[in-house]
């Protein structure tokens, strides 16, 4: 069964940074494009960043130039470096394949108080 374990979240002040990790199991990680998603209270999951199988990154407009996605295929791990965090980045962050499929993991909570 495919599983993911997100970690690295926390509470930080605006302008600070956090780094998230997602260790996967059960999937051929290197064969999949992977994405970071987030879900804010009362909202649907939204795509934040994508890492292609070759490591090419794409970002949503609201995190462009602030977040960096990377991957280590040998460790089956996806990373998200989040810089200059803003209160509107407050959400639970998840990793999944891109497009997302299967069930969501527990996610990692990121809180940026205003």
């Amino acid at each position: 069964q495919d599983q993911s374990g997100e970690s690295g979240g926390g509470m930080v002040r605006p302008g600070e940074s956090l780094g998230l990790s997602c260790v996967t199991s059960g999937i051929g990680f290197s064969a999949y494009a992977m994405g970071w998603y987030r879900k804010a209270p009362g909202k649907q999951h939204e795509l934040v960043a994508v890492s292609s199988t070759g490591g090419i990154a794409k970002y949503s407009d609201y995190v462009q130039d602030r977040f960096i996605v990377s991957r280590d295929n040998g460790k089956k791990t996806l990373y998200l470096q989040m810089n200059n965090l803003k209160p509107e980045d407050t959400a639970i962050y998840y990793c999944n394949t891109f497009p997302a499929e299967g069930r969501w993991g527990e996610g990692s909570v990121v809180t940026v108080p205003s």
Side-chain angles (χ1 to χ4, degrees):
Q1 183 178 3
D2 299 345
Q3 294 183 341
S4 63
E6 299 90 350
S7 63
M11 180 180 292
V12 296
R13 292 177 289 187
E16 294 186 337
S17 299
L18 278 174
L20 303 182
S21 299
C22 170
V23 180
T24 67
S25 63
I27 68 170
F29 182 82
S30 62
Y32 288 85
M34 295 295 297
W36 280 102
Y37 304 79
R38 67 187 183 188
K39 188 177 188 301
K43 296 186 178 181
Q44 300 289 330
H45 285 88
E46 62 179 10
L47 180 66
V48 174
V50 176
S51 175
S52 73
T53 55
I56 296 174
K58 292 187 177 181
Y59 303 93
S60 63
D61 289 344
Y62 33 83
V63 305
Q64 183 75 46
D65 298 327
R66 298 190 296 124
F67 289 14
I68 301 170
V69 62
S70 60
R71 64 193 295 160
D72 185 327
N73 288 338
K75 295 181 179 180
K76 295 187 175 183
T77 301
L78 187 71
Y79 303 98
L80 185 68
Q81 177 63 36
M82 304 183 293
N83 301 315
N84 189 22
L85 282 159
K86 303 177 180 181
E88 51 264 43
D89 295 319
T90 295
I92 304 173
Y93 285 71
Y94 303 86
C95 71
N96 205 320
T97 56
F98 176 77
E101 59 184 25
R103 66 181 181 87
W104 297 98
E106 294 187 355
S108 185
V109 178
V110 173
T111 304
V112 189
S114 58

